[in-house]
């Protein structure tokens, strides 16, 4: 990502516990991801949908070096991606197909 319109900052290593925070936006709807960098704070605002997508992307992601994904891991990830975009009827059908009773 060396595009000229991308701003890069490094989180301040002196503040590891407060270097990255997120929470509800105080003066707007949505959420704010705050990065404390050596050049000062950087805030990125997300609407509810974008914050949820970020949260589901990073939740449960191993760090720092994830093991090689198995076929099953990739299938589960794809299933979650599809479930996030599904309507209620599609979710009910998927639950039934997987042996659920709903």
């Amino acid at each position: 990502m060396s595009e000229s319109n991308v701003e890069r900052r490094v989180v301040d290593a002196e503040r590891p516990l407060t270097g990255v925070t997120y929470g509800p936006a105080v003066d707007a709807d949505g959420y704010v991801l705050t990065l404390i960098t050596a050049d000062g704070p950087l805030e990125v605002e997300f609407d509810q949908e974008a914050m949820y997508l970020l949260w589901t992307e990073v939740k449960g992601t191993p760090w720092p070096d994830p093991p090689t994904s198995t076929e099953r891991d990739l299938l589960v990830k794809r299933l979650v991606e599809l479930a996030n975009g599904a309507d209620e009827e599609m979710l009910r059908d998927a639950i039934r197909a997987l042996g659920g009773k709903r």
Side-chain angles (χ1 to χ4, degrees):
M1 293 186 78
S2 61
E3 296 178 28
S4 61
N5 62 346
V6 174
E7 180 178 344
R8 288 181 171 246
R9 295 194 192 181
V10 176
V11 172
D12 189 347
E14 299 296 316
R15 300 180 64 180
L17 298 178
T18 60
V20 180
T21 61
Y22 73 94
V26 175
D27 57 352
D29 290 336
Y31 298 85
V32 174
L33 176 67
T34 302
L35 308 171
I36 305 300
T37 71
D39 297 326
L42 173 66
E43 291 185 348
V44 181
E45 190 172 318
F46 293 84
D47 65 13
Q48 184 172 356
E49 182 178 351
M51 189 67 203
Y52 182 74
L53 289 172
L54 174 64
W55 181 78
T56 58
E57 178 66 26
V58 300
K59 183 180 179 218
T61 301
W63 184 86
D65 295 317
T68 303
S69 295
T70 65
E71 179 69 15
R72 184 184 185 285
D73 294 335
L74 296 173
L75 291 169
V76 168
K77 182 176 181 179
R78 182 64 180 139
L79 185 61
V80 170
E81 290 170 356
L82 291 169
N84 282 328
D87 63 23
E88 290 178 13
E89 186 59 33
M90 293 168 69
L91 291 170
R92 284 187 191 96
D93 290 344
I95 289 169
R96 277 189 225 96
L98 293 170
K101 297 184 182 192
R102 287 189 161 188

